[in-house]
Amino acid sequence: MSKILAAVANSEDCTTVFCDLFDTLIHRKAHPHYVLKLWAKHIIRELGLDIKIDELFFIRKASVEYVCEKLQKRASETPYDVQMKEVFNRLLNHEVLGNWSFETFLEYSEKADIAAETSVQFLNRTASSQLMELKEKGYALYCITDFYLSKEQVLELLKFHGLMNLFDDVFVSSVIELSKENKGKLYNYVLDFLGLDAKYVMMFGDNKISDVTNASKCGIKALHIPNHIYKIKNKLNLLGNDKKNYRRINRNLEKRSVKSGHAYGEYIILFHIFTERLYREAKRKQIKNLFFISREGYFMKKMFDHYQSAVQLSEKFTVNTHYFKASRHSATQVSRKELSIENFDYLRGQDPTISVENFFKAFSFSEELISAIAKEVGADQKEMVGDFFESNLFKRIKENDRFKTHYEKNRIDQIRAFRNYVHSFGIDFEEEGITLVDVGWRGTMQESIHAFFENNVKVSGYYLGLKEGNITKDTKRYGLNFSVYPMARPSDNILMANRQLYEQLLSAPHGSTSGYRDEPGNYPIEHYEEKEQEIYNELIAPVQNYMFTEYGRLIDELNPICYEYEVVQEYMTDLALRLGLFAGKRKIKFMHEISKGFYQNVGNNEVGLNYSRSQLRDSKLSLVKRFLLFPEKTFRFLVKIKPVLYAKGLYWLSYPVNLIYYYIKFVRGVRSLFLKKKLLEY
């Protein structure tokens, strides 16, 4: 017979059983202090606080110590809401809470503590099965615990472990403000409350003083349930390294990705980092709605929805997500002005050399209409025209009656259909503004949508990465993985290379939005190139399916790990370096194949990943100098060496590229050692 059952059976007077909770019935895989750090992690994420995990952890510890001293009580005897009020006040004074109320903070804190505890707990099944057997035999069972959480939270933990109906009642020291450890005062309270005679009660617990000695002083029979192994493990859990744990989990994912055969499956790490940061930003700014722009937004929304459902503490504060079908092509159409004042700035900025045909396609003109206007203005519609927007041909087009009529018709039709499409989401944009989410890079669609609203609606943008654009106070934008704002750091220069690969891996199973029709429920007009669809189905979709499976596993494995922004940024940067420079032939071949389905729906509608010499604005000598001193700034060219050599059948010449990784690490190390003033860092 087991120890607990035997002790009760040998006590003829016993009718009631008291049982301790932690380290007796429930064990932790982490030290209790680490559980508080996990609480801090959850709170920071859910409220979007601009504070480090360790800092919030120590604020909570200091708050509890102060409250205990003030009230002359032990930590386990201090009500949970009193502790949290002090934490709240300190954060409020620290100006990191934003507009969150104490009621909301307390609700999140309660749920964060539960989430932290359950992520590291496991049940002592031997003890629980014995207690259940006692329950079936008719014994009254009560949980008596010295704990800082509320009774409601303790009940949630019991529910999590399937023990909701095990105990007749639960008594928590922080609620009653008496504890077992303080001369067993909690026992006397429970005995009086239940009207029990101590001689009929037996107590079980792991703490020799609180659960045995102090219980005996109150006349209660007590049995010590030692758990030395778990206590030693908990002491050892004070050691360890969160950075190493974070790296280990991600490294294991990388290894699985290589073995899986799915090229660039490791990119899910980069996408997870973006999603994690987006969620925190949405919470920090209390954003109600996020609009994920097609097509890259399709997979980004899928990841965000899964992440939110996995980590959110309360469904009352869910961020609503919407899939918004738009493209640079469709967005610029709805932002155009009357012909007399329209400058076509975006098309001008794309390429000064353009054909008449591609210029007209920017307005979704039919082939017949394009041919008719080209004939009237005396132009070869397919001929590329240098400085097109400064040419006499362009002037003739603007003066052409047929062009003016159809330009204005297209403009008005597109604006009307787009307005109805936007209103179909049922959101008061004038009051709330609109927050867009996309892969990047310059925020062109954001600017176009702002222009559509006649600059009366704030249009914010969150992007995986950000290049220079026309930012105003009402079109603020943020690159969450990399950004040139406020300036590009070495990490940003590395992460912004291979931007086309981000776009390809985030492709969607539908075509690009070419415009809008005024048909409720079917507003977007889409165009899907046959080759593009083929590439997605055969190459992209399998990688996305693999990445999404790994994504769920990654979220679960990182959940009980505390890691800071710097750790993530360092790992992400190194990963981008390795993916760019160590890419094997299989990866390069994959990149080459998917580039055949990379269509640009503006300007000259180019296909593939083109690396033109015009990108090399500096002389070769200055480029070499920059590489020697600041190799990160040339990384966008370095990662293109292998793909270019592969395309020319010279991939075997690319192996020395691998050595560049070590050179970059060496240069960065030298700079950090000798240029501590960082006057030449960027």
Side-chain angles (χ1 to χ4, degrees), residues 3 120 218 359 373 462 481 488 669:
K3 190 174 183 179
V120 299
C218 297
F359 173 68
I373 299 175
Y462 286 95
N481 280 25

Side-chain angles (χ1 to χ4, degrees), residues 97-153:
L97 268 176
N99 297 321
W100 299 107
S101 66
F102 174 66
E103 290 72 24
T104 300
F105 176 79
L106 180 62
E107 179 178 351
Y108 269 127
S109 181
E110 291 172 339
K111 294 181 181 299
D113 267 318
I114 293 171
E117 287 285 357
T118 54
S119 68
V120 299
Q121 288 181 2
F122 63 97
L123 185 64
N124 183 337
R125 298 196 177 278
T126 301
S128 64
S129 63
Q130 293 177 56
L131 290 172
M132 288 177 183
E133 189 171 337
L134 291 174
K135 179 83 170 179
E136 292 172 357
K137 291 181 178 181
Y139 289 91
L141 269 59
Y142 296 95
C143 178
I144 315 293
T145 178
D146 282 352
F147 202 38
Y148 56 88
L149 297 186
S150 67
K151 180 176 179 178
E152 289 74 21
Q153 289 168 291

